[in-house]
Amino acid sequence: MSNLGWGEILIIAVVFVMLFGAKKLPDTARAVGRSLRIFKSEAAKLRDDAPDDPPAAVLSLEEQARRLEEQAARLRSGVQQDKL
């Protein structure tokens, strides 16, 4: 906001008053403030939920393929047991 001078801020304020009206401007500003507060709290929750440390080792493609095959085999056996 360092690039805006008093003249630009005054023009922006006049445009807001013309768009929203003098009576609705405080309600609009309050609603924007609430929205920003909610956004900031949700963003903080996302940051808190993120794991702090990356996984210890990245699995190779072969290891990933082997684990996927094992999971597929377990799923197939579960489906076959459900059919019985």
Side-chain angles (χ1 to χ4, degrees):
M1 195 160 150
S2 62
N3 294 336
L4 292 178
W6 287 105
E8 290 91 359
I9 293 174
L10 182 63
I11 291 172
I12 292 171
V14 169
V15 168
F16 274 119
V17 169
M18 288 173 54
L19 286 175
F20 298 110
K23 292 182 180 181
K24 289 186 179 182
L25 196 57
D27 294 334
T28 304
R30 205 172 296 120
V32 168
R34 283 187 200 127
S35 299
L36 284 174
R37 192 177 323 119
I38 291 170
F39 178 76
K40 286 180 182 179
S41 68
E42 293 297 322
K45 285 180 188 177
L46 286 175
R47 262 187 264 117
D48 292 342
D49 290 344
D52 292 334
D53 54 334
V58 177
L59 299 176
S60 67
L61 289 176
E62 291 82 16
E63 181 66 21
Q64 290 178 10
R66 186 185 62 77
R67 287 188 181 186
L68 285 173
E69 287 295 329
E70 289 173 358
Q71 289 176 355
R74 282 194 299 261
L75 287 172
R76 279 188 225 113
S77 66
V79 169
Q80 289 174 355
Q81 289 177 359
D82 289 342
K83 289 183 180 179
L84 298 175

